Amino acid sequence: MRLLECKSDDEYTLHEFTDRGAPAYAILSHTWADKREEVSFEDIEGRTGKSKAGYKKLDFCAKQAAADGFIYFWIDTCCIKRSSDAELSESINSMFRWYQRAEKCYVYLSDVSTSTADDTWRQAFRASRWFTRGWTLQELLAPASVEFFSAEGCLLGNKRDLVRQIHDITGIPKKALLDYSHEHFTISKRMSWGKTRQTTREEDETYCLIGLLSISMPACYGEGRKRACDRLLREIEMEDRGKLLFIL
């Protein structure tokens, strides 16, 4: 995996580590806006992208990680070389684990503002787009420590503080929110949590569930929703069959 380090206010460097050899790091969860406005791997390598809207999220994550004592942090937009199909597929299969191993996950809610003095952010929090997206499901459940921040970078609370509201919004049991483990919930129950969530690419409706279901399968963009789902179901069947043979 690659991790970012902020050398100065204007300089970010990417470092490569094995999963087991990675140092302590923070990780960002967010929703993508216009793809062209997100800071990419190529932007970091070429020292560009400062004029992009997504640079605000990069700057926020770097400063929050530093405030929490972390040298390294991870952001999907710029730590994955998306021009490489092989790397993208490997990252999709590793992402649940990367979020799970992060010391802290920062959820940046670009549509929740704390610019007013009252508690109106709570209404915006309930309606946030972040709760409707497919990839953010595993980003909510995998990390032990999840903190929510407004568009201004103000801390709104952590997953434990806000568990009642998050349960009401998502319908996910509090036990899963606070101490998620694959073994405690059936496959059908886990799949149901992502049923109403949306993704930009149709195949991602399936791919975003891979980590949650503890399945590994290559991503193949262009195969369509049905074929991706059929492959996932076959992988689940093979996994269950393997477990049965192990018991026997």
Side-chain angles (χ1 to χ4, degrees), residues 148-215:
F148 295 85
F149 293 84
S150 70
E152 295 81 15
C154 295
L155 178 64
L156 304 174
N158 60 42
K159 185 164 59 170
R160 186 168 295 277
D161 296 335
L162 299 167
V163 66
R164 182 181 299 177
Q165 294 94 316
I166 298 170
H167 165 70
D168 290 344
I169 295 165
T170 64
I172 298 173
K174 295 177 184 177
K175 178 180 176 61
L177 293 170
L178 296 178
D179 186 21
Y180 177 76
S181 175
H182 295 305
E183 295 79 13
H184 294 158
F185 303 94
T186 65
I187 287 174
S188 60
K189 174 59 71 176
R190 283 177 270 162
M191 291 183 75
S192 72
W193 298 336
K195 190 175 181 179
T196 61
R197 290 179 176 246
Q198 303 163 358
T199 59
T200 301
R201 304 187 71 167
E202 59 181 296
E203 295 90 351
D204 281 338
E205 292 178 13
T206 296
Y207 300 161
C208 72
L209 297 174
I210 288 174
L212 196 67
L213 300 177
S214 195
I215 294 295

Side-chain angles (χ1 to χ4, degrees), residues 99-146:
Y99 275 89
Q100 192 174 46
R101 291 179 176 177
E103 296 293 325
K104 279 193 176 185
C105 175
Y106 306 135
V107 178
Y108 181 83
L109 302 175
S110 58
D111 54 358
V112 177
S113 176
T114 48
S115 59
T116 57
D118 55 27
D119 272 359
T120 54
W121 68 263
R122 295 184 182 277
Q123 297 175 9
F125 180 81
R126 295 184 66 88
S128 177
R129 181 171 176 262
W130 188 86
F131 289 109
T132 71
R133 306 304 292 172
W135 288 108
T136 57
L137 176 59
Q138 66 177 5
E139 296 163 16
L140 171 64
L141 294 174
S145 175
V146 180

Side-chain angles (χ1 to χ4, degrees), residues 8-247:
S8 67
D9 289 342
D10 298 317
E11 183 182 352
Y12 292 94
T13 303
L14 285 163
H15 301 273
E16 292 201 29
F17 301 94
T18 62
D19 280 11
R20 293 187 179 276
Y25 62 92
I27 200 164
L28 184 72
S29 176
H30 65 111
T31 56
W32 285 49
D34 186 336
K35 183 180 178 180
R36 295 168 298 183
E37 288 297 316
E38 297 292 350
V39 180
S40 67
F41 170 84
E42 289 75 17
D43 286 327
I44 298 296
E45 291 284 276
R47 302 284 193 265
T48 59
K50 294 178 183 178
S51 62
K52 293 184 175 183
Y55 195 84
K56 181 180 179 182
K57 290 183 282 190
L58 174 62
D59 183 61
F60 157 76
C61 191
K63 289 178 178 176
Q64 189 59 48
D68 288 334
F70 300 112
I71 297 173
Y72 302 102
F73 58 99
W74 188 92
I75 304 177
D76 60 345
T77 58
C78 44
C79 289
I80 300 172
K81 189 177 181 180
R82 294 176 179 273
S83 59
S84 167
D85 292 340
E87 180 173 327
L88 180 57
S89 182
E90 182 181 355
S91 297
I92 286 172
N93 281 273
S94 303
M95 214 171 293
F96 185 93
R97 184 171 66 253
W98 291 345
Y99 275 89
Q100 192 174 46
R101 291 179 176 177
E103 296 293 325
K104 279 193 176 185
C105 175
Y106 306 135
V107 178
Y108 181 83
L109 302 175
S110 58
D111 54 358
V112 177
S113 176
T114 48
S115 59
T116 57
D118 55 27
D119 272 359
T120 54
W121 68 263
R122 295 184 182 277
Q123 297 175 9
F125 180 81
R126 295 184 66 88
S128 177
R129 181 171 176 262
W130 188 86
F131 289 109
T132 71
R133 306 304 292 172
W135 288 108
T136 57
L137 176 59
Q138 66 177 5
E139 296 163 16
L140 171 64
L141 294 174
S145 175
V146 180
E147 296 179 343
F148 295 85
F149 293 84
S150 70
E152 295 81 15
C154 295
L155 178 64
L156 304 174
N158 60 42
K159 185 164 59 170
R160 186 168 295 277
D161 296 335
L162 299 167
V163 66
R164 182 181 299 177
Q165 294 94 316
I166 298 170
H167 165 70
D168 290 344
I169 295 165
T170 64
I172 298 173
K174 295 177 184 177
K175 178 180 176 61
L177 293 170
L178 296 178
D179 186 21
Y180 177 76
S181 175
H182 295 305
E183 295 79 13
H184 294 158
F185 303 94
T186 65
I187 287 174
S188 60
K189 174 59 71 176
R190 283 177 270 162
M191 291 183 75
S192 72
W193 298 336
K195 190 175 181 179
T196 61
R197 290 179 176 246
Q198 303 163 358
T199 59
T200 301
R201 304 187 71 167
E202 59 181 296
E203 295 90 351
D204 281 338
E205 292 178 13
T206 296
Y207 300 161
C208 72
L209 297 174
I210 288 174
L212 196 67
L213 300 177
S214 195
I215 294 295
S216 179
M217 64 179 243
C220 185
Y221 286 106
E223 67 177 332
R225 179 186 295 107
K226 184 179 185 304
R227 185 169 293 182
C229 185
D230 288 345
R231 284 202 299 124
L232 178 68
L233 294 176
R234 285 198 298 271
E235 289 293 335
I236 292 171
E237 185 179 347
M238 290 172 60
E239 183 81 9
D240 286 346
R241 191 181 303 161
K243 289 178 181 178
L244 179 60
L245 289 173
F246 179 78
I247 294 172

